Amino acid sequence: MARWKLAYHANCWGPLGGDAVGVTSITRLTYRTFGDMAKAAREISAAGYTGIEFFDGNVLDDEDDNYALTRRILGESGLQLTAIYSGCNFIFGDILEEELFRVTRAAKAAEALGAEHLVVGGGARRFGGTLTADYDALAAGLDRVFVIGQARGLRTHYHPHLSTIVENQEEVRTIFSKTGVGFCPDTAHLAAAGGNVAAMVREHAARISYVHLKGWQREPFAFTPVGVGDCDNGAVIQALKDIGYEGWICNELDGWPDPAGAARESRKFVEAELAKA
């Protein structure tokens, strides 16, 4: 356990969404959890974690007050901010600068609050079908995100996600052949897209310095605590041990009726798997 530090994402403590004003202002199109982040932090700390990840929208709420609310939440809970998560379409040139302005705000917040990582998702899927050039545009956007994070001392990662152009194993391979950004595997999303997540961890070992562990069940489709369902997170943890992974592991879950209970259950599973010889 000494080489691994456990964090939890605050996204389970309320409905997930974005700022409605983002419909007409791309710079305001942030992710957010519509819930009590102070309560989330208290319960994450009580569940035995030492780190927390937030969506950009929840942190940028008090950007003009030097992130006073987030600082208070972190101070009272004793948690370290591990990462801020943001997202972009990336493939539409006319709005890319607007999107990167928003990512820059998230990176500035991460730096100010002592986080180590910046995580971005995205790569919009067109209604008429994905173009080959979309992967080049996504990679170019990710390279710029890498520079934004690097300038602020952050490790920057791409997080493949269902509903984007990077879901399955071959799409993951394609994008990382085109960009130098790090790889944050989200085990549930990759498994739901049909990927062998443990094999992907081994294949892309050199790119991985931050991980999202999450459970997933096939029928009915749902995200679950880390040890529950059809995603073999035990095999993923073994793969991470095999590649000599060190650093933060962020357990994650959304849409669960008992977020604190799920956080405790997920931590116990991860610690039990880590303890195996």
Side-chain angles (χ1 to χ4, degrees):
M1 276 297 295
R3 297 184 304 161
W4 291 30
K5 300 176 286 185
L6 296 185
Y8 205 82
H9 202 299
N11 61 348
C12 199
W13 275 260
L16 306 185
D19 291 321
V21 70
V23 174
T24 51
S25 177
I26 298 299
T27 59
R28 297 285 299 279
L29 192 58
T30 58
Y31 275 110
R32 68 171 53 250
T33 304
F34 292 97
D36 186 340
M37 294 298 93
K39 179 182 179 184
R42 289 193 302 270
E43 294 186 353
I44 288 169
S45 179
Y49 294 88
T50 57
I52 190 170
E53 180 178 330
F54 286 122
F55 283 136
D56 52 355
N58 293 103
V59 173
L60 294 175
D61 278 345
D62 61 343
E63 179 182 25
D64 293 337
D65 195 23
N66 194 27
Y67 320 105
L69 175 60
T70 305
R71 292 181 190 278
R72 178 173 59 79
I73 289 172
L74 295 173
E76 291 177 352
S77 66
L79 295 172
Q80 179 179 340
L81 180 65
T82 60
I84 292 178
Y85 185 104
S86 188
C88 291
N89 291 277
F90 286 117
I91 69 168
F92 303 117
D94 285 349
I95 64 169
L96 181 62
E97 297 302 323
E98 305 291 310
E99 294 185 314
L100 293 177
F101 172 79
R102 176 166 42 76
V103 172
T104 300
R105 291 172 60 209
K108 288 179 178 178
E111 179 188 23
L113 293 164
E116 298 177 29
H117 303 279
L118 175 68
V119 183
V120 295
R125 190 174 292 280
R126 298 175 188 269
F127 74 89
T130 301
L131 306 177
T132 301
D134 291 344
Y135 289 99
D136 294 324
L138 171 57
L142 290 173
D143 283 342
R144 292 187 61 185
V145 171
F146 179 83
V147 172
I148 289 168
Q150 188 177 51
R152 290 160 181 82
L154 303 170
R155 293 184 173 186
T156 306
H157 316 266
Y158 177 61
H159 175 298
H161 201 288
L162 293 172
S163 81
T164 72
I165 63 173
V166 184
E167 294 184 340
N168 63 43
Q169 209 150 334
E170 188 55 40
E171 290 166 348
V172 169
R173 189 174 290 124
T174 295
I175 196 59
F176 287 116
S177 73
K178 296 174 178 289
T179 177
V181 77
F183 174 27
C184 174
D186 181 303
T187 57
H189 282 268
L190 294 171
N196 181 329
V197 187
M200 295 168 79
V201 166
R202 292 186 173 92
E203 179 180 351
H204 301 284
R207 294 291 189 102
I208 300 173
S209 61
Y210 191 62
V211 177
H212 280 186
L213 290 181
K214 181 162 58 181
W216 160 75
Q217 68 180 28
R218 185 175 285 103
E219 294 292 344
F221 184 99
F223 294 125
T224 63
V226 172
V228 177
D230 298 301
C231 178
D232 190 354
N233 279 307
V236 175
I237 291 170
Q238 183 60 54
L240 289 167
K241 289 196 283 187
D242 291 346
I243 69 171
Y245 179 80
E246 298 183 4
W248 287 103
I249 297 288
C250 184
N251 292 340
E252 184 194 349
L253 181 57
D254 48 73
W256 198 255
D258 179 12
R264 292 191 297 271
E265 184 177 349
S266 293
R267 181 184 60 79
K268 290 177 182 177
F269 175 83
V270 173
E271 290 181 345
E273 292 296 313
L274 283 173
K276 292 181 178 178

PDB file of all heavy atoms in Angstrom, residues 104-136:
ATOM      1  N   THR A 104      -7.610  25.866 -19.250  1.00  0.00           N
ATOM      2  CA  THR A 104      -6.568  26.655 -18.595  1.00  0.00           C
ATOM      3  C   THR A 104      -7.034  27.136 -17.226  1.00  0.00           C
ATOM      4  O   THR A 104      -6.258  27.122 -16.257  1.00  0.00           O
ATOM      5  CB  THR A 104      -6.169  27.852 -19.479  1.00  0.00           C
ATOM      6  OG1 THR A 104      -5.670  27.362 -20.731  1.00  0.00           O
ATOM      7  CG2 THR A 104      -5.098  28.691 -18.815  1.00  0.00           C
ATOM      8  N   ARG A 105      -8.282  27.550 -17.128  1.00  0.00           N
ATOM      9  CA  ARG A 105      -8.821  27.942 -15.815  1.00  0.00           C
ATOM     10  C   ARG A 105      -8.771  26.772 -14.840  1.00  0.00           C
ATOM     11  O   ARG A 105      -8.411  26.942 -13.672  1.00  0.00           O
ATOM     12  CB  ARG A 105     -10.256  28.436 -15.961  1.00  0.00           C
ATOM     13  CG  ARG A 105     -10.407  29.758 -16.700  1.00  0.00           C
ATOM     14  CD  ARG A 105     -11.881  30.052 -16.969  1.00  0.00           C
ATOM     15  NE  ARG A 105     -12.646  30.145 -15.749  1.00  0.00           N
ATOM     16  CZ  ARG A 105     -13.955  29.849 -15.652  1.00  0.00           C
ATOM     17  NH1 ARG A 105     -14.613  29.427 -16.721  1.00  0.00           N
ATOM     18  NH2 ARG A 105     -14.587  29.972 -14.506  1.00  0.00           N
ATOM     19  N   ALA A 106      -9.131  25.589 -15.315  1.00  0.00           N
ATOM     20  CA  ALA A 106      -9.091  24.403 -14.451  1.00  0.00           C
ATOM     21  C   ALA A 106      -7.658  24.099 -14.025  1.00  0.00           C
ATOM     22  O   ALA A 106      -7.409  23.734 -12.862  1.00  0.00           O
ATOM     23  CB  ALA A 106      -9.703  23.212 -15.179  1.00  0.00           C
ATOM     24  N   ALA A 107      -6.714  24.239 -14.951  1.00  0.00           N
ATOM     25  CA  ALA A 107      -5.313  23.976 -14.629  1.00  0.00           C
ATOM     26  C   ALA A 107      -4.783  24.982 -13.610  1.00  0.00           C
ATOM     27  O   ALA A 107      -4.033  24.615 -12.684  1.00  0.00           O
ATOM     28  CB  ALA A 107      -4.470  24.010 -15.901  1.00  0.00           C
ATOM     29  N   LYS A 108      -5.157  26.233 -13.755  1.00  0.00           N
ATOM     30  CA  LYS A 108      -4.745  27.248 -12.778  1.00  0.00           C
ATOM     31  C   LYS A 108      -5.296  26.920 -11.396  1.00  0.00           C
ATOM     32  O   LYS A 108      -4.600  27.078 -10.385  1.00  0.00           O
ATOM     33  CB  LYS A 108      -5.224  28.630 -13.228  1.00  0.00           C
ATOM     34  CG  LYS A 108      -4.475  29.193 -14.423  1.00  0.00           C
ATOM     35  CD  LYS A 108      -5.035  30.547 -14.821  1.00  0.00           C
ATOM     36  CE  LYS A 108      -4.280  31.154 -15.979  1.00  0.00           C
ATOM     37  NZ  LYS A 108      -4.867  32.457 -16.409  1.00  0.00           N
ATOM     38  N   ALA A 109      -6.534  26.466 -11.345  1.00  0.00           N
ATOM     39  CA  ALA A 109      -7.126  26.093 -10.061  1.00  0.00           C
ATOM     40  C   ALA A 109      -6.402  24.896  -9.462  1.00  0.00           C
ATOM     41  O   ALA A 109      -6.115  24.859  -8.261  1.00  0.00           O
ATOM     42  CB  ALA A 109      -8.611  25.778 -10.250  1.00  0.00           C
ATOM     43  N   ALA A 110      -6.104  23.900 -10.294  1.00  0.00           N
ATOM     44  CA  ALA A 110      -5.399  22.719  -9.808  1.00  0.00           C
ATOM     45  C   ALA A 110      -4.045  23.097  -9.227  1.00  0.00           C
ATOM     46  O   ALA A 110      -3.655  22.615  -8.150  1.00  0.00           O
ATOM     47  CB  ALA A 110      -5.242  21.708 -10.938  1.00  0.00           C
ATOM     48  N   GLU A 111      -3.329  23.961  -9.928  1.00  0.00           N
ATOM     49  CA  GLU A 111      -2.028  24.410  -9.431  1.00  0.00           C
ATOM     50  C   GLU A 111      -2.173  25.156  -8.106  1.00  0.00           C
ATOM     51  O   GLU A 111      -1.442  24.888  -7.136  1.00  0.00           O
ATOM     52  CB  GLU A 111      -1.353  25.309 -10.460  1.00  0.00           C
ATOM     53  CG  GLU A 111      -0.008  25.852 -10.010  1.00  0.00           C
ATOM     54  CD  GLU A 111       0.552  26.885 -10.967  1.00  0.00           C
ATOM     55  OE1 GLU A 111      -0.235  27.510 -11.719  1.00  0.00           O
ATOM     56  OE2 GLU A 111       1.783  27.074 -10.958  1.00  0.00           O
ATOM     57  N   ALA A 112      -3.137  26.074  -8.047  1.00  0.00           N
ATOM     58  CA  ALA A 112      -3.311  26.877  -6.844  1.00  0.00           C
ATOM     59  C   ALA A 112      -3.689  26.038  -5.634  1.00  0.00           C
ATOM     60  O   ALA A 112      -3.329  26.369  -4.497  1.00  0.00           O
ATOM     61  CB  ALA A 112      -4.381  27.945  -7.092  1.00  0.00           C
ATOM     62  N   LEU A 113      -4.405  24.943  -5.873  1.00  0.00           N
ATOM     63  CA  LEU A 113      -4.902  24.115  -4.781  1.00  0.00           C
ATOM     64  C   LEU A 113      -4.007  22.913  -4.490  1.00  0.00           C
ATOM     65  O   LEU A 113      -4.352  22.064  -3.677  1.00  0.00           O
ATOM     66  CB  LEU A 113      -6.320  23.648  -5.106  1.00  0.00           C
ATOM     67  CG  LEU A 113      -7.370  24.769  -5.132  1.00  0.00           C
ATOM     68  CD1 LEU A 113      -8.642  24.306  -5.820  1.00  0.00           C
ATOM     69  CD2 LEU A 113      -7.668  25.256  -3.717  1.00  0.00           C
ATOM     70  N   GLY A 114      -2.862  22.842  -5.141  1.00  0.00           N
ATOM     71  CA  GLY A 114      -1.876  21.814  -4.826  1.00  0.00           C
ATOM     72  C   GLY A 114      -2.129  20.453  -5.433  1.00  0.00           C
ATOM     73  O   GLY A 114      -1.570  19.459  -4.970  1.00  0.00           O
ATOM     74  N   ALA A 115      -2.973  20.381  -6.474  1.00  0.00           N
ATOM     75  CA  ALA A 115      -3.226  19.100  -7.123  1.00  0.00           C
ATOM     76  C   ALA A 115      -2.020  18.678  -7.956  1.00  0.00           C
ATOM     77  O   ALA A 115      -1.214  19.510  -8.381  1.00  0.00           O
ATOM     78  CB  ALA A 115      -4.464  19.173  -7.999  1.00  0.00           C
ATOM     79  N   GLU A 116      -1.925  17.378  -8.212  1.00  0.00           N
ATOM     80  CA  GLU A 116      -0.847  16.846  -9.030  1.00  0.00           C
ATOM     81  C   GLU A 116      -1.280  16.601 -10.476  1.00  0.00           C
ATOM     82  O   GLU A 116      -0.433  16.534 -11.362  1.00  0.00           O
ATOM     83  CB  GLU A 116      -0.353  15.514  -8.451  1.00  0.00           C
ATOM     84  CG  GLU A 116       0.232  15.619  -7.051  1.00  0.00           C
ATOM     85  CD  GLU A 116       0.631  14.255  -6.498  1.00  0.00           C
ATOM     86  OE1 GLU A 116       0.971  13.355  -7.304  1.00  0.00           O
ATOM     87  OE2 GLU A 116       0.591  14.082  -5.275  1.00  0.00           O
ATOM     88  N   HIS A 117      -2.594  16.459 -10.693  1.00  0.00           N
ATOM     89  CA  HIS A 117      -3.063  15.956 -11.988  1.00  0.00           C
ATOM     90  C   HIS A 117      -4.180  16.826 -12.562  1.00  0.00           C
ATOM     91  O   HIS A 117      -4.994  17.394 -11.825  1.00  0.00           O
ATOM     92  CB  HIS A 117      -3.585  14.526 -11.832  1.00  0.00           C
ATOM     93  CG  HIS A 117      -2.569  13.584 -11.255  1.00  0.00           C
ATOM     94  ND1 HIS A 117      -1.577  13.017 -12.020  1.00  0.00           N
ATOM     95  CD2 HIS A 117      -2.400  13.119  -9.986  1.00  0.00           C
ATOM     96  CE1 HIS A 117      -0.832  12.233 -11.250  1.00  0.00           C
ATOM     97  NE2 HIS A 117      -1.304  12.278 -10.024  1.00  0.00           N
ATOM     98  N   LEU A 118      -4.210  16.863 -13.889  1.00  0.00           N
ATOM     99  CA  LEU A 118      -5.302  17.449 -14.660  1.00  0.00           C
ATOM    100  C   LEU A 118      -5.811  16.353 -15.588  1.00  0.00           C
ATOM    101  O   LEU A 118      -5.027  15.747 -16.334  1.00  0.00           O
ATOM    102  CB  LEU A 118      -4.809  18.643 -15.467  1.00  0.00           C
ATOM    103  CG  LEU A 118      -5.811  19.302 -16.425  1.00  0.00           C
ATOM    104  CD1 LEU A 118      -6.922  19.985 -15.646  1.00  0.00           C
ATOM    105  CD2 LEU A 118      -5.101  20.308 -17.335  1.00  0.00           C
ATOM    106  N   VAL A 119      -7.107  16.075 -15.526  1.00  0.00           N
ATOM    107  CA  VAL A 119      -7.699  15.014 -16.330  1.00  0.00           C
ATOM    108  C   VAL A 119      -8.724  15.636 -17.275  1.00  0.00           C
ATOM    109  O   VAL A 119      -9.552  16.440 -16.852  1.00  0.00           O
ATOM    110  CB  VAL A 119      -8.391  13.953 -15.447  1.00  0.00           C
ATOM    111  CG1 VAL A 119      -8.928  12.808 -16.302  1.00  0.00           C
ATOM    112  CG2 VAL A 119      -7.424  13.423 -14.389  1.00  0.00           C
ATOM    113  N   VAL A 120      -8.658  15.258 -18.549  1.00  0.00           N
ATOM    114  CA  VAL A 120      -9.631  15.759 -19.515  1.00  0.00           C
ATOM    115  C   VAL A 120     -10.269  14.579 -20.258  1.00  0.00           C
ATOM    116  O   VAL A 120      -9.614  13.578 -20.547  1.00  0.00           O
ATOM    117  CB  VAL A 120      -9.013  16.740 -20.533  1.00  0.00           C
ATOM    118  CG1 VAL A 120      -8.542  18.013 -19.840  1.00  0.00           C
ATOM    119  CG2 VAL A 120      -7.880  16.097 -21.312  1.00  0.00           C
ATOM    120  N   GLY A 121     -11.544  14.720 -20.523  1.00  0.00           N
ATOM    121  CA  GLY A 121     -12.263  13.775 -21.363  1.00  0.00           C
ATOM    122  C   GLY A 121     -12.742  14.492 -22.609  1.00  0.00           C
ATOM    123  O   GLY A 121     -12.686  15.717 -22.698  1.00  0.00           O
ATOM    124  N   GLY A 122     -13.238  13.749 -23.577  1.00  0.00           N
ATOM    125  CA  GLY A 122     -13.797  14.383 -24.761  1.00  0.00           C
ATOM    126  C   GLY A 122     -13.384  13.709 -26.045  1.00  0.00           C
ATOM    127  O   GLY A 122     -12.770  12.648 -26.060  1.00  0.00           O
ATOM    128  N   GLY A 123     -13.692  14.393 -27.113  1.00  0.00           N
ATOM    129  CA  GLY A 123     -13.557  13.837 -28.454  1.00  0.00           C
ATOM    130  C   GLY A 123     -14.963  13.557 -28.950  1.00  0.00           C
ATOM    131  O   GLY A 123     -15.447  12.436 -28.917  1.00  0.00           O
ATOM    132  N   ALA A 124     -15.628  14.607 -29.393  1.00  0.00           N
ATOM    133  CA  ALA A 124     -17.055  14.503 -29.722  1.00  0.00           C
ATOM    134  C   ALA A 124     -17.302  13.513 -30.845  1.00  0.00           C
ATOM    135  O   ALA A 124     -16.509  13.396 -31.787  1.00  0.00           O
ATOM    136  CB  ALA A 124     -17.597  15.881 -30.110  1.00  0.00           C
ATOM    137  N   ARG A 125     -18.409  12.800 -30.743  1.00  0.00           N
ATOM    138  CA  ARG A 125     -18.841  11.890 -31.805  1.00  0.00           C
ATOM    139  C   ARG A 125     -19.881  12.618 -32.662  1.00  0.00           C
ATOM    140  O   ARG A 125     -20.929  13.027 -32.160  1.00  0.00           O
ATOM    141  CB  ARG A 125     -19.419  10.615 -31.200  1.00  0.00           C
ATOM    142  CG  ARG A 125     -19.669   9.538 -32.234  1.00  0.00           C
ATOM    143  CD  ARG A 125     -20.117   8.237 -31.586  1.00  0.00           C
ATOM    144  NE  ARG A 125     -19.086   7.590 -30.800  1.00  0.00           N
ATOM    145  CZ  ARG A 125     -18.106   6.843 -31.306  1.00  0.00           C
ATOM    146  NH1 ARG A 125     -18.024   6.674 -32.622  1.00  0.00           N
ATOM    147  NH2 ARG A 125     -17.221   6.267 -30.519  1.00  0.00           N
ATOM    148  N   ARG A 126     -19.613  12.799 -33.944  1.00  0.00           N
ATOM    149  CA  ARG A 126     -20.519  13.514 -34.835  1.00  0.00           C
ATOM    150  C   ARG A 126     -21.784  12.694 -35.090  1.00  0.00           C
ATOM    151  O   ARG A 126     -21.738  11.460 -35.137  1.00  0.00           O
ATOM    152  CB  ARG A 126     -19.837  13.779 -36.181  1.00  0.00           C
ATOM    153  CG  ARG A 126     -18.603  14.641 -36.111  1.00  0.00           C
ATOM    154  CD  ARG A 126     -17.950  14.739 -37.480  1.00  0.00           C
ATOM    155  NE  ARG A 126     -16.659  15.413 -37.419  1.00  0.00           N
ATOM    156  CZ  ARG A 126     -16.496  16.722 -37.584  1.00  0.00           C
ATOM    157  NH1 ARG A 126     -17.551  17.491 -37.806  1.00  0.00           N
ATOM    158  NH2 ARG A 126     -15.294  17.261 -37.520  1.00  0.00           N
ATOM    159  N   PHE A 127     -22.898  13.394 -35.336  1.00  0.00           N
ATOM    160  CA  PHE A 127     -24.144  12.682 -35.608  1.00  0.00           C
ATOM    161  C   PHE A 127     -24.070  11.917 -36.918  1.00  0.00           C
ATOM    162  O   PHE A 127     -24.727  10.893 -37.100  1.00  0.00           O
ATOM    163  CB  PHE A 127     -25.338  13.642 -35.622  1.00  0.00           C
ATOM    164  CG  PHE A 127     -25.435  14.507 -36.842  1.00  0.00           C
ATOM    165  CD1 PHE A 127     -26.126  14.076 -37.968  1.00  0.00           C
ATOM    166  CD2 PHE A 127     -24.840  15.766 -36.869  1.00  0.00           C
ATOM    167  CE1 PHE A 127     -26.213  14.870 -39.096  1.00  0.00           C
ATOM    168  CE2 PHE A 127     -24.917  16.572 -37.996  1.00  0.00           C
ATOM    169  CZ  PHE A 127     -25.616  16.117 -39.112  1.00  0.00           C
ATOM    170  N   GLY A 128     -23.239  12.395 -37.837  1.00  0.00           N
ATOM    171  CA  GLY A 128     -23.145  11.757 -39.134  1.00  0.00           C
ATOM    172  C   GLY A 128     -22.031  10.734 -39.245  1.00  0.00           C
ATOM    173  O   GLY A 128     -21.826  10.157 -40.316  1.00  0.00           O
ATOM    174  N   GLY A 129     -21.319  10.506 -38.138  1.00  0.00           N
ATOM    175  CA  GLY A 129     -20.229   9.532 -38.170  1.00  0.00           C
ATOM    176  C   GLY A 129     -18.873  10.183 -37.974  1.00  0.00           C
ATOM    177  O   GLY A 129     -18.663  11.340 -38.355  1.00  0.00           O
ATOM    178  N   THR A 130     -17.970   9.462 -37.372  1.00  0.00           N
ATOM    179  CA  THR A 130     -16.636   9.968 -37.066  1.00  0.00           C
ATOM    180  C   THR A 130     -15.781  10.050 -38.325  1.00  0.00           C
ATOM    181  O   THR A 130     -15.779   9.134 -39.159  1.00  0.00           O
ATOM    182  CB  THR A 130     -15.952   9.050 -36.034  1.00  0.00           C
ATOM    183  OG1 THR A 130     -16.758   9.006 -34.857  1.00  0.00           O
ATOM    184  CG2 THR A 130     -14.575   9.557 -35.680  1.00  0.00           C
ATOM    185  N   LEU A 131     -15.045  11.146 -38.459  1.00  0.00           N
ATOM    186  CA  LEU A 131     -14.109  11.328 -39.555  1.00  0.00           C
ATOM    187  C   LEU A 131     -12.706  10.927 -39.102  1.00  0.00           C
ATOM    188  O   LEU A 131     -12.352  11.104 -37.930  1.00  0.00           O
ATOM    189  CB  LEU A 131     -14.093  12.793 -40.007  1.00  0.00           C
ATOM    190  CG  LEU A 131     -15.436  13.423 -40.371  1.00  0.00           C
ATOM    191  CD1 LEU A 131     -15.239  14.894 -40.728  1.00  0.00           C
ATOM    192  CD2 LEU A 131     -16.084  12.669 -41.527  1.00  0.00           C
ATOM    193  N   THR A 132     -11.916  10.434 -40.012  1.00  0.00           N
ATOM    194  CA  THR A 132     -10.527  10.110 -39.674  1.00  0.00           C
ATOM    195  C   THR A 132      -9.803  11.324 -39.120  1.00  0.00           C
ATOM    196  O   THR A 132      -9.016  11.219 -38.169  1.00  0.00           O
ATOM    197  CB  THR A 132      -9.789   9.584 -40.919  1.00  0.00           C
ATOM    198  OG1 THR A 132     -10.457   8.415 -41.397  1.00  0.00           O
ATOM    199  CG2 THR A 132      -8.346   9.246 -40.589  1.00  0.00           C
ATOM    200  N   ALA A 133     -10.110  12.486 -39.678  1.00  0.00           N
ATOM    201  CA  ALA A 133      -9.459  13.723 -39.235  1.00  0.00           C
ATOM    202  C   ALA A 133      -9.824  14.091 -37.802  1.00  0.00           C
ATOM    203  O   ALA A 133      -9.110  14.874 -37.161  1.00  0.00           O
ATOM    204  CB  ALA A 133      -9.835  14.865 -40.176  1.00  0.00           C
ATOM    205  N   ASP A 134     -10.919  13.539 -37.282  1.00  0.00           N
ATOM    206  CA  ASP A 134     -11.308  13.856 -35.910  1.00  0.00           C
ATOM    207  C   ASP A 134     -10.265  13.379 -34.907  1.00  0.00           C
ATOM    208  O   ASP A 134     -10.048  14.022 -33.876  1.00  0.00           O
ATOM    209  CB  ASP A 134     -12.668  13.228 -35.582  1.00  0.00           C
ATOM    210  CG  ASP A 134     -13.812  13.884 -36.334  1.00  0.00           C
ATOM    211  OD1 ASP A 134     -13.618  15.004 -36.865  1.00  0.00           O
ATOM    212  OD2 ASP A 134     -14.898  13.281 -36.398  1.00  0.00           O
ATOM    213  N   TYR A 135      -9.608  12.264 -35.200  1.00  0.00           N
ATOM    214  CA  TYR A 135      -8.572  11.776 -34.288  1.00  0.00           C
ATOM    215  C   TYR A 135      -7.346  12.680 -34.306  1.00  0.00           C
ATOM    216  O   TYR A 135      -6.716  12.915 -33.271  1.00  0.00           O
ATOM    217  CB  TYR A 135      -8.196  10.333 -34.634  1.00  0.00           C
ATOM    218  CG  TYR A 135      -9.293   9.361 -34.272  1.00  0.00           C
ATOM    219  CD1 TYR A 135     -10.185   8.904 -35.236  1.00  0.00           C
ATOM    220  CD2 TYR A 135      -9.462   8.931 -32.956  1.00  0.00           C
ATOM    221  CE1 TYR A 135     -11.206   8.030 -34.911  1.00  0.00           C
ATOM    222  CE2 TYR A 135     -10.485   8.059 -32.621  1.00  0.00           C
ATOM    223  CZ  TYR A 135     -11.357   7.617 -33.598  1.00  0.00           C
ATOM    224  OH  TYR A 135     -12.382   6.768 -33.256  1.00  0.00           O
ATOM    225  N   ASP A 136      -7.034  13.219 -35.464  1.00  0.00           N
ATOM    226  CA  ASP A 136      -5.925  14.165 -35.543  1.00  0.00           C
ATOM    227  C   ASP A 136      -6.256  15.445 -34.786  1.00  0.00           C
ATOM    228  O   ASP A 136      -5.400  16.007 -34.083  1.00  0.00           O
ATOM    229  CB  ASP A 136      -5.609  14.493 -37.005  1.00  0.00           C
ATOM    230  CG  ASP A 136      -5.087  13.285 -37.765  1.00  0.00           C
ATOM    231  OD1 ASP A 136      -4.359  12.468 -37.168  1.00  0.00           O
ATOM    232  OD2 ASP A 136      -5.433  13.148 -38.957  1.00  0.00           O
TER     233      ASP A 136
END
